[in-house]
Amino acid sequence: MKIEKAENLAKSQAIPVNGEARISFRNDGVIYQWNNVAENIFGYPAIDAIGRNISLIFPLNYFKHPETFVNNFEEGFSEFESVCQTKNGGRINLLFYVLPIKDESETLQGISLTGTDITDKKKAEEKQAFLGCIVSSSDDAIISKNLKGIITSWNRAATEMFGYTEQEAIGQNISIIIPPESQDEEELIMESIRKGEKIDHFETIRMARDGAEKLVSLTVSPVKNTKGEVIGASNILRDQSEKDIQDEQQARLAAIVTSSDDAIISKTLDGIITSWNDSATLMFGYTPEETIGKHISLIIPADRMNEETNIIQNIRAGN
């Protein structure tokens, strides 16, 4: 009866439960109250939970000494987060509000816990942290902005590409990296974003802090809130300058191969022809269409095939 009176006194001081799990246990950790929300969250009917130790839902080492836990909250109302275990062995995260159960003489009789399942919130936080890690470590400049064009996030790669630090960029308008002659382009992009449309791999020019122009591939995606309303945009910018250099080098080499007076032929290690220049056509009479995909033996006399075998063996050996 003593603990029931203490419980009634505590209830008069407690915050409303509002659909949350309500669990009470004595100083020795034995559960004596277990509401229907606790049943739904943990999977134990009240008849299976009441009379058992509170370690039923907490990791065993957490409540190895229940009296120690109880004494920690003797001073008054507090809260804590914990990973709990359900009947089927699953793990869930809960936020608990703690209310000490005391009798009229202020002697501690037990603890009342009001628990809220925050598993989804924790997963969302972990996902956010994971996404944040990806953004931070990306080699692409990733910049977020609101619908007025004000920068709200700026990653390491954006600093490397444009020269502004995160502190210098956030709060500024996105126009700081847009050349004057391309400012109208930004408004067209934002019109599409406001409609919920995505701009994908759009090649354009952006400007670094020192005035250097950067050829970038720009992808802009709308950012929406939980109601599905567009509240901003995420910009992913990939520097195309290196790609242009590589393309130029490739074009230059291709021009050399095409204009060479020497027959230049490429083949796989199986002897299949993969490229054939104009001089090869002049020398052997076959067009690229007639040779590519065919075996190199097409131009090797039958009595010389052993040479080809020896050549391929050396090539395979890296010689």
Side-chain angles (χ1 to χ4, degrees):
M1 294 297 293
K2 191 174 182 181
I3 197 166
E4 288 179 8
K5 289 181 180 179
E7 174 73 10
N8 290 332
L9 181 62
K11 283 180 179 177
S12 68
Q13 306 166 359
I15 60 170
V17 175
N18 292 331
E20 297 163 322
R22 183 69 176 270
I23 303 166
S24 299
F25 56 94
R26 301 196 308 253
N27 289 353
D28 59 2
V30 175
I31 298 167
Y32 66 87
Q33 184 187 46
W34 185 271
N35 73 352
N36 63 333
V37 180
E39 290 184 355
N40 293 334
I41 289 178
F42 297 105
Y44 294 97
I47 194 171
D48 291 341
I50 292 174
R52 297 178 69 175
N53 193 279
I54 192 65
S55 61
L56 176 72
I57 61 170
F58 289 97
L60 289 175
N61 59 346
Y62 198 98
F63 276 92
K64 190 173 183 180
H65 302 289
E67 66 280 1
T68 302
F69 173 80
V70 170
N71 292 334
N72 286 340
F73 295 96
E74 186 174 3
E75 296 305 315
F77 185 83
S78 190
E79 64 183 71
F80 70 101
E81 290 183 14
S82 179
V83 176
C84 296
Q85 185 168 294
T86 63
K87 185 177 182 179
N88 64 9
R91 293 297 178 96
I92 55 175
N93 295 87
L94 276 90
L95 171 63
F96 287 102
Y97 294 96
V98 183
L99 187 68
I101 308 298
K102 297 181 180 181
D103 60 19
E104 294 91 336
S105 63
E106 290 296 303
T107 302
L108 187 70
Q109 299 295 316
I111 288 289
S112 177
L113 298 178
T114 301
T116 304
D117 188 347
I118 58 170
T119 304
D120 290 342
K121 177 175 175 287
K122 282 292 183 183
K123 287 180 179 177
E125 289 174 354
E126 289 173 4
K127 182 179 179 182
Q128 187 67 25
F130 178 69
L131 290 174
C133 182
I134 292 174
V135 169
S136 177
S137 61
S138 174
D139 289 332
D140 295 328
I142 301 179
I143 305 167
S144 297
K145 60 189 176 186
N146 63 25
L147 292 180
K148 293 182 180 180
I150 303 301
I151 297 168
T152 55
S153 73
W154 182 272
N155 73 342
R156 173 192 54 80
T159 295
E160 292 177 358
M161 187 178 294
F162 297 110
Y164 297 97
T165 66
E166 182 181 8
Q167 292 75 18
E168 291 171 326
I170 291 177
Q172 298 288 331
N173 195 282
I174 194 69
S175 60
I176 63 171
I177 63 168
I178 302 175
E181 65 273 13
S182 300
Q183 292 293 331
D184 291 343
E185 174 187 289
E186 174 65 11
E187 185 51 40
L188 293 174
I189 289 173
M190 291 310 296
E191 282 182 16
S192 296
I193 291 299
R194 291 186 185 98
K195 296 175 185 175
E197 299 170 354
K198 179 181 179 183
I199 308 296
D200 210 4
H201 300 299
F202 171 59
E203 286 204 352
T204 186
I205 300 295
R206 289 294 179 260
M207 186 173 62
R209 183 175 191 165
D210 61 4
E213 293 189 341
K214 304 275 188 178
L215 176 65
V216 300
S217 173
L218 173 64
T219 296
V220 189
S221 303
V223 174
K224 299 180 181 180
N225 61 17
T226 54
K227 298 178 182 178
E229 300 166 336
V230 177
I231 58 171
S234 173
N235 293 14
I236 300 176
L237 303 97
R238 177 164 294 178
D239 192 344
Q240 296 293 92
S241 302
E242 188 65 29
K243 176 178 175 291
D244 267 13
I245 292 171
Q246 292 173 350
D247 288 347
E248 288 175 12
Q249 290 175 340
Q250 185 71 21
R252 190 178 299 112
L253 289 172
I256 292 170
V257 169
T258 300
S259 60
S260 174
D261 291 333
D262 296 325
I264 301 178
I265 303 167
S266 300
K267 62 186 176 185
T268 67
L269 291 179
D270 295 322
I272 303 301
I273 297 168
T274 55
S275 72
W276 184 272
N277 72 344
D278 291 344
S279 292
T281 296
L282 292 173
M283 186 175 291
F284 298 108
Y286 298 102
T287 65
E289 292 75 20
E290 292 172 317
T291 56
I292 293 175
K294 300 289 181 62
H295 196 271
I296 194 68
S297 59
L298 184 70
I299 60 169
I300 300 175
D303 59 348
R304 296 278 185 171
M305 279 304 299
N306 61 320
E307 291 179 0
E308 176 65 11
T309 301
N310 291 333
I311 289 171
I312 290 296
Q313 284 177 350
N314 276 278
I315 292 297
R316 282 198 176 101
N319 300 325

